[in-house]
Amino acid sequence: TLGPLAALTARGGFAAMVARLTLERWLPRLRPPLPTVLPRPGGGLRIAQVSLQGRLDAELRGAGAGDGGGLATLLVSLTRALDAHPAVSEAVTFTRAFEDPSFPGLYSSAEEPVGRGSRIERLRFGPERYLSTPEQWAYRPEIEAEFARSIARHGPFDVAHLRFADVGTFAAARVFRRLAVPVVFTLAPDPYSVLRDGEASGQLDRTSFP
């Protein structure tokens, strides 16, 4: 069975990701190694958030562009609100690093402050360009390995806040589970994608919408 699974993994796409997960379950040596997370002094909650979709920056210069939609505005506002909360010492929002010709150097920087002690941290994986959400599934092992390295640098975290059924949430949840970090999941449905797909297929119009 290993041969066909390895061949499927090499083809890329979502099915390849599922095949790779199966191989990792059977062959633990293929799993990204767990990081050594050193304790930090001081009190207060340290919160990790994850959004690899779209374009995310502290000043929201590219808000609404790409797959992220309004999520960028929500996450930056939430990071600032958490940063101002007396019980929180730090909120780190993880997103993706890439070069965007429309905003040179903005999304390729490794770190960007948000508030007094919180920040955006950018993970590097895949090509040096914007990746749509479906394209990112092919880089799931790379994403998990990069999460592990980044958490080793910026952890430990008391809780992780995740949302959406994308590869960033999936990969982060796997890493945090292995590190025994509690995960809070906010179910954030995206009706617009369902409406768009329905219209494109001809199944949805003004008559059938109700």
Side-chain angles (χ1 to χ4, degrees), residues 111-152:
E111 185 175 303
E112 190 176 359
V114 182
R116 59 183 167 88
S118 298
R119 62 193 182 279
I120 292 170
E121 290 290 338
R122 294 189 174 91
L123 310 179
R124 292 199 168 275
F125 63 88
E128 193 59 54
R129 62 171 177 84
Y130 179 82
L131 281 177
S132 67
T133 302
E135 287 181 285
Q136 293 183 15
W137 282 104
Y139 302 96
R140 196 275 313 166
E142 221 180 303
I143 294 170
E144 281 193 28
E146 185 60 25
F147 262 127
R149 287 190 291 267
S150 196
I151 290 167

Side-chain angles (χ1 to χ4, degrees), residues 9 27 36 74 92 94 106 109 122 132 142 151 169 173 186 190 197:
T9 299
L27 305 171
T36 300
L74 170 69
V92 179
F94 292 95
L106 177 59
S109 63
R122 294 189 174 91
S132 67
E142 221 180 303
I151 290 167
T169 295
T186 298
D190 185 1
D197 292 346

